[in-house]
Amino acid sequence: MPFVKVFASALICTLLGACAGSQADYDSYPGSAPGNQRVGTKGRAATTADIKEQGTLFGSDGLNFLGGDDTKQQGGGTGIGVNSFLWRASLDTLSFMPLNSADPFGGVIITDWYSPPETPNERFKITGYILGTALRSDAIKVAVFRQVRVGTDQWADAVVEPSTVTAMEDSILTRARQLRIDSATAQ
């Protein structure tokens, strides 16, 4: 009987020990930082690892006087933060309008006001949002703004048909699919 108790106790300790994670695991868990601190543009809960990174004077690599560690990879940057096919397709589709700003890391494209030659008394502005890294229909959102002229240099907001927004999103998705197909056949 004592052997069974010792064996059961050892088994329970082993199982409980397997459930415990390391300190590094806990440090990378969102919300592990003290307080209600937020990090990044999306405002996720800070981790203890984030706080440790912020608290160093010379960064995570420290101060190196002798030239650095050759075993570390030298990256070429972080790259684009959204689906590259949707990004390029959005730029291509909106290229007829003057570009006001484009943020490939946040996935936002904002055009300036554009008046079509056939209707000079109305103007449009488009904001495109790329919401993810997958090539899917829910990864693109377009907002179209329309104004009509009501006087000399005076514009009033006007209603935009929902079909206009849908058509713009569809044309961006179609172009993105074409770019993806072209990329696959080029390899």
Side-chain angles (χ1 to χ4, degrees):
M1 188 74 161
F3 175 72
V4 174
K5 288 182 181 179
V6 170
F7 181 73
S9 298
L11 181 63
I12 290 173
C13 289
T14 303
L15 290 175
L16 288 175
C19 293
S22 68
Q23 183 64 33
D25 292 338
Y26 178 74
D27 287 352
S28 62
Y29 185 76
S32 63
N36 193 15
Q37 299 178 14
R38 310 300 276 177
V39 198
T41 58
K42 303 252 187 217
R44 71 167 170 80
T47 65
T48 304
D50 291 330
I51 302 305
K52 287 179 183 176
E53 179 70 24
Q54 291 174 357
T56 61
L57 181 61
F58 299 109
S60 61
D61 294 336
L63 183 61
N64 192 341
F65 293 108
L66 302 174
D69 186 3
D70 291 337
T71 62
K72 291 186 180 179
Q73 292 278 345
Q74 294 295 322
T78 58
I80 191 167
V82 295
N83 184 286
S84 61
F85 298 116
L86 283 174
W87 178 255
R88 184 68 205 161
S90 298
L91 288 174
D92 288 352
T93 304
L94 299 176
S95 65
F96 69 96
M97 300 181 76
L99 190 63
N100 190 5
S101 71
D103 177 13
F105 301 105
V108 180
I109 298 172
I110 303 172
T111 67
D112 205 354
W113 289 104
Y114 170 75
S115 292
E118 56 273 358
T119 56
N121 288 330
E122 67 179 350
R123 64 184 186 174
F124 296 92
K125 183 176 188 171
I126 297 178
T127 302
Y129 304 96
I130 301 170
L131 305 173
T133 57
L135 180 53
R136 298 179 357 176
S137 61
D138 62 348
I140 185 80
K141 183 178 180 336
V142 172
V144 179
F145 305 95
R146 177 176 168 246
Q147 290 183 340
V148 293
R149 189 184 307 268
V150 293
T152 308
D153 293 333
Q154 292 182 348
W155 297 88
D157 292 336
V159 176
V160 175
E161 293 294 322
S163 61
T164 304
V165 173
T166 304
M168 188 63 66
E169 289 174 349
D170 288 345
S171 66
I172 291 172
L173 284 167
T174 302
R175 179 66 180 139
R177 288 184 193 109
Q178 288 172 347
L179 290 170
R180 182 177 179 191
I181 291 169
D182 292 345
S183 172
T185 57
Q187 292 182 5

